[in-house]
């Protein structure tokens, strides 16, 4: 059986390189047979695509898609950083 860190790296690479997703900011954690995706994306469709790519890459694991969908501020609005 493949070591969890190798599976996580493979899933992370797939999320970054797959034409459907191209996401770099998603954290991939594996605990036993559980695969957790965490992070933020714009749009529910992107969240679903990330889950699909992760599942295709590691189909034997139980996927927990904990990615949050956020609304990105419209261009031109002031961004306030605290």
């Amino acid at each position: 059986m493949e070591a969890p860190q190798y599976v996580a790296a493979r899933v992370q690479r797939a999320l970054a390189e797959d034409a459907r997703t191209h996401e770099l900011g998603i954290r991939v954690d594996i605990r036993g047979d559980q695969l957790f995706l965490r992070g933020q994306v714009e749009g529910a469709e992107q969240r679903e695509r990330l889950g699909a790519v992760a599942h295709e890459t590691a189909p034997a694991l139980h996927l927990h898609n904990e990615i949050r969908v956020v609304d990105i501020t419209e261009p031109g609005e002031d961004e306030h950083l605290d």
Side-chain angles (χ1 to χ4, degrees):
M1 186 158 153
E2 201 174 6
Q5 63 266 32
Y6 293 126
V7 178
R10 198 170 74 239
V11 171
Q12 195 109 43
R13 190 169 56 248
L15 298 179
E17 295 176 356
D18 193 288
R20 293 169 289 174
T21 53
H22 288 300
E23 281 289 341
L24 297 172
I26 301 302
R27 239 181 51 238
V28 178
D29 294 311
I30 295 178
R31 292 195 206 111
D33 65 349
Q34 311 292 306
L35 168 62
F36 296 87
L37 299 180
R38 295 190 177 102
Q40 296 181 343
V41 295
E42 183 181 3
E45 299 84 9
Q46 180 70 344
R47 179 184 184 275
E48 295 306 313
R49 285 191 294 266
L50 287 161
V53 170
H55 179 70
E56 290 167 16
T57 307
L61 299 179
H62 297 286
L63 176 65
H64 299 275
N65 190 341
E66 298 179 357
I67 297 170
R68 292 188 318 148
V69 175
V70 294
D71 290 326
I72 304 300
T73 306
E74 290 292 317
E77 285 188 24
D78 289 336
E79 191 174 303
H80 299 287
L81 301 175
D82 295 325

